[in-house]
Amino acid sequence: MSDFKAQALKYHAEPTPGKISIEISKPAETVRDLALAYSPGVAEPVRCIAETPDDVYKYTAKGNLVAVISNGSAILGLGNLGPMASKPVMEGKALLFKRFANLDSIDIEVSHRTTEEFINTVANIADTFGGINLEDIKAPECFEIEKELIKRCNIPVFHDDQHGTAIVTAAGMLNALEIQGKDIGDATIVCMGAGAAAIACMELLIKCGAKREYIYMLDTKGVIHTRRDDLNEYKKLFANNTDKRTLEDALEGADVFVGVSGPDVLPAEALKLMADKPVIFACSNPDPEIKPELAHASRSDIIMATGRSDYPNQVNNVLCFPFIFRGALDVRASVINDEMKIAAVHAIRNIAKEPVPEAVLKAAEVTALEFGPEYIIPKPMDPRLLDRVSKAVSEAAVASGVARLVP
Ligand SMILES: NC(=O)C1=CN([C@@H]2O[C@H](COP(=O)(O)OP(=O)(O)OC[C@H]3O[C@@H](n4cnc5c(N)ncnc54)[C@H](OP(=O)(O)O)[C@@H]3O)[C@@H](O)[C@H]2O)C=CC1
Ligand SMILES: CC(=O)C(=O)O
Ligand SMILES: [Mg+2]
């Protein structure tokens, strides 16, 4: 067993199995404490909530509680391995919610037969939480699931693999293109993958100025084009009227590669087909579409990002989901809308242009970080993310009329 694999398993197993636990937040030592916490005291908030439902935010943990919900159908880039295999990832997301945004979070893994059954399960328990973070649910089912749950729930429902990934990708991409001296409106973009992350990333890049007709999206069958008759309604939106069929065809002269597909699908030789100064985001986890060492060996003018912590430029939704939920829950937003997503994009990208605090350099185990090819996006442990992204998101929620608490 490799050293890192052994360390990862030990980290998860010891001293207690798993990565999260529940703590009590009130005294529960004396007979009086218990009388307040449980019977008879607990009857008082019960009566208040029955009379005034919004009091649930005043007397329970709901307002600071996010459920991370999965069915394990697209666990990272590892595939459909089922609900229980997804539990370490979902516990991991809960850990990140707490660590970065002080949000309490619980993982829920759902076994189900039909999509409708999954939707009903989540909708029926939604009210107990302040927000729902859907995670690692494969396309195309994820689109219907999220749409239906947004309709049925009174709290923010956010599919992280779609929108968290898209927000961080857009933030990193706008910065990378700026450094390479390119305009997003002129960029030819190759997107490897046509699932949850891919569709959302491309839709948000279009909202940030990219041209739909300059995007070439690929799935396991190659380029998505107008003459294919096997496309679902989401892929159809990216069907390009083109003779390009292979990854190599699509990469010819392209400015950008976004990989949200699977490991090692981008050959180093193919990078040489791209235009000058390309941007390569190989975001599949844990193994990217191309290893950065291979990409850098292939050509020297690239900006390279991955989804991993152990290379420069980590384009990963961890830079978004804790902070967008913090901002949404702080103003009790009913939804997370486009205005809030775009506010998050700009708040994240702007941090990378400012001097980096000493504590961040220390946590990142580097001596310097400066806006440029090796630093296009902030580090997840940058404390400015919490202040700045959450505030921008809250303000956008208020301005767009979806906040129920106005500070
Ligand atoms: N860095 C980050 O923050 C994030 C990274 N990701 C990564 O993105 C990837 C996809 O996740 P997600 O969108 O949730 O999953 P989905 O299951 O929704 O989509 C996967 C897509 O990838 C395509 N695909 C898989 N293998 C290949 C291949 N060899 N060549 C071309 N296309 C391929 C599939 O094609 P088809 O439609 O033909 O089946 C499908 O369109 C994962 O590796 C995940 O780790 C996801 C979210 C966040
Ligand atoms: C980061 C993440 O959510 C994923 O790879 O699925
Ligand atoms: Mg995920």
Side-chain angles (χ1 to χ4, degrees):
M1 200 190 294
S2 79
D3 208 33
F4 185 74
K5 182 174 171 186
Q7 279 175 36
L9 292 176
K10 189 164 190 262
Y11 174 92
H12 283 81
E14 296 176 12
T16 48
K19 296 192 288 263
I20 55 170
S21 68
I22 289 176
E23 282 166 21
I24 54 179
S25 62
K26 297 287 158 69
E29 302 308 316
T30 66
V31 73
R32 180 161 174 80
D33 293 340
L34 294 188
L36 292 171
Y38 192 42
S39 186
V42 72
E44 299 310 328
V46 168
R47 290 190 187 100
C48 289
I49 295 166
E51 199 166 300
T52 312
D54 252 19
D55 276 1
V56 71
Y57 285 96
K58 193 167 171 190
Y59 297 119
T60 77
K62 171 181 163 95
N64 200 49
L65 185 60
V66 176
V68 176
I69 306 186
S70 185
N71 60 5
S73 58
I75 308 176
L76 309 174
L78 303 172
N80 185 351
L81 302 179
M84 276 311 102
S86 78
K87 197 166 169 70
V89 177
M90 303 314 132
E91 281 193 354
K93 298 277 175 180
L95 174 151
L96 297 166
F97 269 118
K98 187 70 183 178
R99 160 69 178 85
F100 291 126
N102 199 25
L103 282 162
D104 295 318
S105 177
I106 183 80
D107 62 297
I108 297 174
E109 293 75 23
V110 179
S111 299
H112 63 101
R113 283 162 298 187
T114 61
T115 299
E116 193 190 2
E117 202 173 89
F118 181 88
I119 292 168
N120 284 336
T121 303
V122 177
N124 288 341
I125 60 170
D127 276 349
T128 205
F129 304 104
I132 290 176
N133 184 78
L134 299 170
E135 189 68 43
D136 289 0
I137 301 170
K138 76 177 179 67
E141 296 81 356
C142 64
F143 302 119
E144 186 196 340
I145 287 171
E146 190 196 44
K147 194 166 127 220
E148 193 57 28
L149 284 171
I150 288 173
K151 227 190 290 165
R152 285 174 60 176
C153 300
N154 289 318
I155 54 170
V157 177
F158 178 87
H159 183 198
D160 180 37
D161 299 284
Q162 289 185 57
H163 314 297
T165 315
I167 287 163
V168 179
T169 299
M173 188 59 68
L174 291 169
N175 281 352
L177 288 170
E178 183 181 318
I179 294 163
Q180 296 292 53
K182 298 191 182 209
D183 188 314
I184 191 165
D186 301 328
T188 300
I189 299 173
V190 175
C191 179
M192 191 70 163
I199 301 276
C201 283
M202 292 306 115
E203 289 293 355
L204 191 58
L205 286 183
I206 290 168
K207 288 194 177 97
C208 292
K211 300 258 174 29
R212 192 177 290 272
E213 59 272 27
Y214 296 169
I215 295 174
Y216 296 93
M217 186 177 275
L218 294 92
D219 62 9
T220 49
K221 301 203 176 73
V223 171
I224 291 177
H225 59 83
T226 45
R227 269 153 285 169
R228 275 179 60 173
D229 57 9
D230 59 346
L231 302 176
N232 64 40
E233 60 181 296
Y234 310 98
K235 290 181 183 180
K236 262 189 200 151
L237 295 172
F238 289 93
N240 204 306
N241 187 6
T242 177
D243 292 332
K244 294 179 190 286
R245 294 292 178 266
T246 65
L247 175 60
E248 281 75 8
D249 294 343
L251 285 173
E252 190 81 53
D255 301 289
V256 169
F257 172 90
V258 175
V260 270
S261 52
D264 302 317
V265 296
L266 175 58
E269 271 305 299
L271 280 189
K272 297 194 174 130
L273 299 166
M274 296 182 75
D276 283 349
K277 298 191 163 195
V279 178
I280 317 294
F281 282 10
C283 295
S284 179
N285 289 305
D287 299 311
E289 282 74 6
I290 184 168
K291 290 185 182 58
E293 298 82 339
L294 289 179
H296 287 298
S298 171
R299 54 192 291 175
S300 57
D301 60 347
I302 58 170
I303 290 183
M304 173 82 211
T306 70
R308 298 167 55 126
S309 312
D310 52 354
Y311 288 102
N313 298 334
Q314 183 181 20
V315 170
N316 189 301
N317 50 37
V318 65
L319 281 174
C320 173
F321 68 80
F323 315 112
I324 203 162
F325 270 96
R326 180 75 278 163
L329 267 57
D330 281 349
V331 293
R332 219 176 282 169
S334 53
V335 291
I336 294 176
N337 60 21
D338 279 353
E339 288 86 340
M340 294 156 79
K341 292 173 193 165
I342 299 278
V345 170
H346 293 292
I348 294 169
R349 76 173 286 213
N350 288 339
I351 293 172
K353 298 182 177 179
E354 296 175 17
V356 180
E358 200 57 43
V360 177
L361 296 177
K362 206 166 158 220
E365 300 174 355
V366 293
T367 50
L369 284 173
E370 196 178 336
F371 186 60
E374 297 280 289
Y375 180 63
I376 59 168
I377 195 143
K379 298 282 176 190
M381 50 283 196
D382 193 320
R384 294 173 297 178
L385 285 163
L386 179 57
D387 298 339
R388 304 262 285 273
V389 181
S390 307
K391 186 161 176 277
V393 168
S394 292
E395 285 173 357
V398 172
S400 59
V402 297
R404 287 176 290 198
L405 271 187
V406 178

